[in-house]
Coordinates of all heavy atoms in Angstrom, one line a residue:
M1 N 0.8 -1.2 0.0 CA 0.0 0.0 0.0 C 0.9 1.3 0.0 O 0.6 2.2 -0.7 CB -0.9 0.0 1.2 CG -1.8 1.1 1.3 SD -3.1 1.0 0.2 CE -4.2 2.2 0.8
K2 N 1.9 1.2 0.8 CA 2.8 2.4 0.9 C 3.5 2.7 -0.4 O 3.6 3.8 -0.8 CB 3.8 2.2 2.0 CG 4.7 3.3 2.4 CD 5.6 3.0 3.5 CE 6.5 4.1 3.9 NZ 7.4 3.7 5.0
K3 N 3.9 1.6 -1.1 CA 4.6 1.8 -2.4 C 3.6 2.4 -3.4 O 4.0 3.2 -4.2 CB 5.1 0.5 -2.8 CG 6.3 0.0 -1.9 CD 6.7 -1.4 -2.3 CE 7.6 -1.9 -1.2 NZ 7.7 -3.3 -1.2
S4 N 2.4 2.0 -3.4 CA 1.4 2.5 -4.3 C 1.2 3.9 -4.1 O 1.0 4.7 -5.1 CB 0.1 1.7 -4.1 OG 0.2 0.4 -4.4
I5 N 1.2 4.4 -2.9 CA 1.0 5.8 -2.6 C 2.2 6.6 -3.1 O 2.0 7.7 -3.7 CB 0.8 6.0 -1.1 CG1 -0.6 5.4 -0.6 CG2 0.8 7.5 -0.7 CD1 -0.8 5.4 0.8
V6 N 3.4 6.1 -2.9 CA 4.6 6.8 -3.3 C 4.6 6.9 -4.9 O 4.9 7.9 -5.4 CB 5.9 6.1 -2.8 CG1 7.1 6.6 -3.5 CG2 6.0 6.2 -1.3
L7 N 4.2 5.8 -5.5 CA 4.2 5.8 -7.0 C 3.1 6.7 -7.5 O 3.4 7.5 -8.4 CB 3.9 4.4 -7.5 CG 3.9 4.2 -9.0 CD1 5.2 4.6 -9.6 CD2 3.6 2.7 -9.3
A8 N 2.0 6.8 -6.9 CA 0.9 7.7 -7.3 C 1.4 9.1 -7.1 O 1.1 10.0 -8.0 CB -0.4 7.4 -6.5
L9 N 2.0 9.4 -6.0 CA 2.5 10.8 -5.8 C 3.6 11.2 -6.8 O 3.6 12.3 -7.3 CB 3.0 10.9 -4.3 CG 2.0 10.9 -3.3 CD1 2.6 10.9 -1.9 CD2 1.0 12.1 -3.4
S10 N 4.4 10.3 -7.1 CA 5.5 10.5 -8.1 C 4.9 10.8 -9.5 O 5.3 11.8 -10.1 CB 6.4 9.3 -8.2 OG 7.1 9.1 -7.0
L11 N 3.9 10.0 -9.8 CA 3.3 10.2 -11.1 C 2.5 11.5 -11.1 O 2.4 12.2 -12.1 CB 2.3 9.1 -11.5 CG 3.1 7.8 -11.8 CD1 2.1 6.6 -12.0 CD2 3.9 7.9 -13.1
S12 N 1.8 11.9 -10.0 CA 1.1 13.1 -9.9 C 2.0 14.3 -10.1 O 1.7 15.3 -10.8 CB 0.3 13.2 -8.6 OG -0.6 12.2 -8.5
A13 N 3.2 14.2 -9.4 CA 4.1 15.3 -9.6 C 4.6 15.5 -11.0 O 4.8 16.6 -11.5 CB 5.3 15.1 -8.6
A14 N 4.8 14.4 -11.6 CA 5.3 14.4 -13.0 C 4.2 15.0 -13.9 O 4.5 15.8 -14.8 CB 5.6 13.0 -13.5
I15 N 3.0 14.7 -13.7 CA 1.9 15.2 -14.5 C 1.7 16.7 -14.3 O 1.5 17.5 -15.2 CB 0.6 14.4 -14.3 CG1 0.7 13.0 -14.8 CG2 -0.6 15.2 -14.9 CD1 -0.5 12.1 -14.3
M16 N 1.8 17.1 -13.1 CA 1.6 18.5 -12.7 C 2.8 19.4 -13.3 O 2.6 20.5 -13.6 CB 1.5 18.7 -11.3 CG 0.1 18.2 -10.7 SD -0.2 18.7 -9.0 CE 1.2 18.2 -8.1
A17 N 4.0 18.8 -13.4 CA 5.1 19.5 -13.9 C 4.9 19.9 -15.4 O 5.3 20.9 -15.9 CB 6.4 18.6 -13.8
G18 N 4.1 19.0 -16.1 CA 3.8 19.3 -17.5 C 5.0 19.3 -18.4 O 6.0 18.7 -18.1
G19 N 4.9 20.1 -19.4 CA 6.0 20.2 -20.3 C 5.8 19.5 -21.7 O 4.8 19.0 -22.0
V20 N 6.9 19.6 -22.4 CA 6.9 19.1 -23.8 C 6.7 17.5 -23.8 O 6.0 17.0 -24.6 CB 8.2 19.5 -24.5 CG1 8.1 19.2 -26.0 CG2 8.6 20.9 -24.2
A21 N 7.4 16.9 -22.9 CA 7.5 15.4 -23.0 C 6.7 14.7 -21.9 O 7.1 13.8 -21.3 CB 8.9 15.0 -22.9
E22 N 5.5 15.2 -21.7 CA 4.6 14.5 -20.7 C 4.4 13.1 -20.9 O 4.5 12.3 -20.0 CB 3.3 15.3 -20.6 CG 2.5 14.9 -19.4 CD 1.3 15.8 -19.3 OE1 1.4 16.9 -18.7 OE2 0.2 15.4 -19.9
A23 N 4.2 12.7 -22.2 CA 4.0 11.3 -22.5 C 5.3 10.5 -22.3 O 5.2 9.4 -21.8 CB 3.5 11.1 -23.9
G24 N 6.4 11.1 -22.6 CA 7.7 10.4 -22.3 C 7.9 10.2 -20.8 O 8.4 9.1 -20.4
C25 N 7.5 11.1 -20.0 CA 7.6 11.0 -18.6 C 6.7 9.9 -18.0 O 7.2 9.1 -17.2 CB 7.3 12.4 -17.9 SG 7.4 12.3 -16.1
L26 N 5.5 9.9 -18.5 CA 4.6 8.9 -18.0 C 5.0 7.5 -18.4 O 5.0 6.6 -17.5 CB 3.2 9.2 -18.4 CG 2.5 10.5 -17.8 CD1 1.2 10.7 -18.5 CD2 2.4 10.4 -16.4
G27 N 5.4 7.3 -19.6 CA 5.8 6.0 -20.1 C 7.1 5.6 -19.3 O 7.2 4.4 -18.9
G28 N 8.0 6.5 -19.2 CA 9.2 6.2 -18.4 C 9.0 5.9 -17.0 O 9.6 5.0 -16.4
A29 N 8.0 6.6 -16.4 CA 7.7 6.3 -15.0 C 7.1 5.0 -14.8 O 7.4 4.3 -13.8 CB 6.7 7.4 -14.5
V30 N 6.3 4.5 -15.7 CA 5.7 3.2 -15.6 C 6.8 2.1 -15.7 O 6.8 1.2 -14.9 CB 4.6 3.0 -16.7 CG1 4.2 1.5 -16.8 CG2 3.4 3.9 -16.4
V31 N 7.6 2.2 -16.7 CA 8.7 1.3 -16.9 C 9.7 1.3 -15.7 O 10.0 0.3 -15.2 CB 9.5 1.5 -18.2 CG1 10.7 0.7 -18.3 CG2 8.5 1.3 -19.4
G32 N 10.0 2.5 -15.3 CA 10.9 2.6 -14.1 C 10.3 2.1 -12.8 O 11.0 1.5 -12.0
G33 N 9.0 2.4 -12.7 CA 8.4 1.9 -11.5 C 8.4 0.3 -11.4 O 8.6 -0.2 -10.3
V34 N 8.1 -0.3 -12.5 CA 8.1 -1.8 -12.6 C 9.5 -2.3 -12.3 O 9.7 -3.2 -11.5 CB 7.5 -2.3 -13.9 CG1 7.7 -3.8 -14.1 CG2 6.0 -1.9 -14.0
A35 N 10.5 -1.7 -13.0 CA 11.9 -2.1 -12.9 C 12.3 -1.9 -11.4 O 13.0 -2.8 -10.8 CB 12.8 -1.4 -13.8
G36 N 12.0 -0.8 -10.8 CA 12.4 -0.5 -9.4 C 11.8 -1.5 -8.5 O 12.4 -2.0 -7.5
H37 N 10.5 -1.8 -8.7 CA 9.8 -2.8 -7.9 C 10.5 -4.2 -8.0 O 10.7 -4.8 -6.9 CB 8.4 -2.9 -8.2 CG 7.6 -4.0 -7.5 ND1 7.3 -3.9 -6.2 CD2 7.2 -5.2 -7.9 CE1 6.7 -5.0 -5.8 NE2 6.6 -5.8 -6.8
M38 N 10.8 -4.6 -9.2 CA 11.5 -5.9 -9.4 C 12.9 -5.9 -8.8 O 13.4 -7.0 -8.4 CB 11.5 -6.3 -10.8 CG 10.1 -6.4 -11.4 SD 9.0 -7.5 -10.6 CE 9.2 -8.9 -11.5
A39 N 13.6 -4.8 -8.8 CA 15.0 -4.8 -8.4 C 15.1 -4.6 -6.9 O 16.2 -4.4 -6.4 CB 15.7 -3.6 -9.1
G40 N 14.1 -4.6 -6.1 CA 14.2 -4.5 -4.7 C 13.2 -3.6 -4.0 O 13.5 -3.0 -3.1
H41 N 12.0 -3.6 -4.6 CA 10.9 -2.9 -4.0 C 11.2 -1.4 -3.9 O 10.9 -0.7 -2.8 CB 10.5 -3.5 -2.6 CG 10.2 -4.9 -2.7 ND1 9.1 -5.4 -3.3 CD2 10.9 -6.0 -2.3 CE1 9.1 -6.7 -3.3 NE2 10.2 -7.1 -2.7
H42 N 11.7 -0.8 -4.9 CA 11.9 0.7 -5.0 C 11.1 1.3 -6.1 O 11.7 2.0 -7.0 CB 13.4 1.0 -5.2 CG 14.3 0.5 -4.0 ND1 14.2 1.0 -2.8 CD2 15.1 -0.6 -4.0 CE1 15.0 0.4 -2.0 NE2 15.6 -0.6 -2.7
A43 N 9.8 1.0 -6.2 CA 9.0 1.5 -7.3 C 9.0 3.0 -7.4 O 9.0 3.5 -8.5 CB 7.6 0.9 -7.1
G44 N 8.8 3.7 -6.3 CA 8.8 5.1 -6.4 C 10.0 5.8 -6.9 O 10.0 6.6 -7.8
L45 N 11.2 5.3 -6.5 CA 12.5 5.8 -7.0 C 12.6 5.4 -8.4 O 13.1 6.3 -9.2 CB 13.6 5.2 -6.1 CG 15.0 5.7 -6.4 CD1 15.1 7.2 -6.2 CD2 16.0 5.0 -5.6
G46 N 12.2 4.2 -8.8 CA 12.3 3.8 -10.2 C 11.4 4.7 -11.1 O 11.7 5.1 -12.2
A47 N 10.2 5.0 -10.6 CA 9.3 5.9 -11.4 C 9.8 7.3 -11.6 O 9.7 7.8 -12.7 CB 7.9 5.9 -10.6
V48 N 10.4 7.8 -10.6 CA 11.0 9.2 -10.7 C 12.2 9.1 -11.7 O 12.3 10.0 -12.6 CB 11.5 9.7 -9.3 CG1 12.3 11.0 -9.5 CG2 10.3 9.9 -8.4
G49 N 13.0 8.1 -11.6 CA 14.2 8.0 -12.5 C 13.7 7.8 -14.0 O 14.2 8.3 -14.9
G50 N 12.7 6.9 -14.1 CA 12.1 6.6 -15.4 C 11.5 7.8 -16.0 O 11.6 8.0 -17.2
C51 N 10.8 8.6 -15.2 CA 10.2 9.9 -15.7 C 11.3 10.8 -16.3 O 11.2 11.3 -17.4 CB 9.5 10.6 -14.6 SG 8.8 12.1 -15.1
A52 N 12.4 10.9 -15.6 CA 13.5 11.8 -16.0 C 14.1 11.3 -17.3 O 14.3 12.0 -18.3 CB 14.6 11.9 -14.9
V53 N 14.3 10.0 -17.4 CA 14.9 9.4 -18.6 C 13.9 9.5 -19.8 O 14.2 9.9 -20.9 CB 15.2 7.9 -18.4 CG1 15.6 7.2 -19.7 CG2 16.4 7.8 -17.4
G54 N 12.6 9.2 -19.5 CA 11.6 9.4 -20.6 C 11.5 10.8 -21.1 O 11.3 11.0 -22.3
H55 N 11.5 11.7 -20.2 CA 11.5 13.2 -20.6 C 12.7 13.5 -21.5 O 12.5 14.2 -22.5 CB 11.4 14.0 -19.3 CG 11.4 15.5 -19.6 ND1 10.3 16.1 -20.1 CD2 12.4 16.4 -19.5 CE1 10.6 17.4 -20.2 NE2 11.9 17.6 -19.8
H56 N 13.8 13.1 -21.0 CA 15.0 13.3 -21.8 C 15.0 12.7 -23.2 O 15.3 13.4 -24.2 CB 16.3 12.8 -21.1 CG 17.5 12.9 -21.8 ND1 18.2 14.1 -22.0 CD2 18.3 12.0 -22.4 CE1 19.3 13.9 -22.7 NE2 19.4 12.6 -23.0
M57 N 14.5 11.5 -23.3 CA 14.5 10.8 -24.6 C 13.4 11.5 -25.5 O 13.7 11.7 -26.7 CB 14.1 9.4 -24.4 CG 15.2 8.6 -23.7 SD 16.8 8.6 -24.4 CE 16.6 7.6 -25.8
A58 N 12.3 11.9 -24.9 CA 11.3 12.6 -25.7 C 11.8 13.9 -26.3 O 11.5 14.3 -27.4 CB 10.0 12.8 -24.9
K59 N 12.5 14.7 -25.4 CA 13.1 15.9 -25.9 C 14.1 15.7 -27.0 O 14.1 16.5 -28.0 CB 13.7 16.7 -24.7 CG 12.7 17.4 -23.8 CD 13.4 18.2 -22.7 CE 14.1 19.3 -23.3 NZ 14.7 20.2 -22.2
K60 N 14.9 14.7 -26.9 CA 15.9 14.4 -28.0 C 15.1 14.0 -29.3 O 15.5 14.5 -30.3 CB 16.8 13.2 -27.5 CG 17.9 13.6 -26.6 CD 18.7 12.4 -26.2 CE 19.4 11.7 -27.3 NZ 20.3 10.6 -26.9
K61 N 14.1 13.3 -29.1 CA 13.3 12.9 -30.3 C 12.7 14.1 -31.0 O 12.7 14.3 -32.2 CB 12.2 11.9 -30.0 CG 11.4 11.4 -31.1 CD 10.4 10.4 -30.7 CE 9.6 9.9 -31.9 NZ 8.5 9.0 -31.5
Q62 N 12.1 15.0 -30.1 CA 11.5 16.2 -30.6 C 12.5 17.1 -31.3 O 12.3 17.7 -32.4 CB 10.8 17.0 -29.5 CG 10.1 18.2 -30.0 CD 9.5 19.0 -28.9 OE1 10.0 19.0 -27.7 NE2 8.4 19.7 -29.2
A63 N 13.7 17.2 -30.8 CA 14.8 18.0 -31.4 C 15.2 17.4 -32.7 O 15.5 18.1 -33.7 CB 16.0 18.1 -30.5
R64 N 15.3 16.1 -32.8 CA 15.7 15.4 -34.0 C 14.6 15.7 -35.1 O 14.9 15.9 -36.3 CB 15.8 13.9 -33.7 CG 16.8 13.2 -34.5 CD 17.0 11.8 -34.1 NE 15.9 11.1 -33.4 CZ 16.0 10.5 -32.3 NH1 17.1 10.4 -31.6 NH2 14.9 10.0 -31.7
M65 N 13.3 15.6 -34.7 CA 12.2 15.8 -35.7 C 12.2 17.3 -36.2 O 11.9 17.5 -37.3 CB 10.9 15.4 -35.0 CG 10.8 14.0 -34.7 SD 10.9 12.9 -36.1 CE 9.3 13.0 -36.7
A66 N 12.5 18.2 -35.3 CA 12.5 19.6 -35.7 C 13.7 20.0 -36.6 O 13.6 20.8 -37.4 CB 12.6 20.5 -34.4
G67 N 14.8 19.2 -36.5 CA 16.0 19.5 -37.3 C 15.8 19.0 -38.7 O 16.5 19.4 -39.6
H68 N 14.9 18.1 -38.9 CA 14.8 17.4 -40.3 C 13.6 17.9 -41.0 O 12.6 18.2 -40.7 CB 14.8 15.9 -40.2 CG 16.2 15.4 -39.8 ND1 17.2 15.2 -40.8 CD2 16.7 15.0 -38.7 CE1 18.2 14.7 -40.2 NE2 18.0 14.6 -38.9

């Protein structure tokens, strides 16, 4: 239960932050949350890290698309 609350709060913070790569953040948060849970019950930390990576990758993709 506690992990679910942490994950929900992490995702809520990511959604409220908004920005260009919101979808990248949410997708990364889901993948990171699952990976963190499987790697030692750190779903919240994984979700935050996944959100950061997803956001970064989406920004890179957007820059690549704008350049061509």
Side-chain angles (χ1 to χ4, degrees):
M1 179 76 163
K2 187 176 180 182
K3 293 173 191 162
S4 299
I5 293 171
V6 170
L7 183 59
L9 289 174
S10 298
L11 289 174
S12 297
I15 291 169
M16 289 190 308
V20 191
E22 192 172 273
C25 178
L26 292 176
V30 170
V31 172
V34 171
H37 174 71
M38 299 304 264
H41 304 289
H42 298 291
L45 186 59
V48 171
C51 177
V53 171
H55 177 74
H56 175 71
M57 297 302 287
K59 281 183 70 173
K60 281 177 60 174
K61 182 179 179 181
Q62 184 182 25
R64 216 177 18 236
M65 297 298 280
H68 289 279

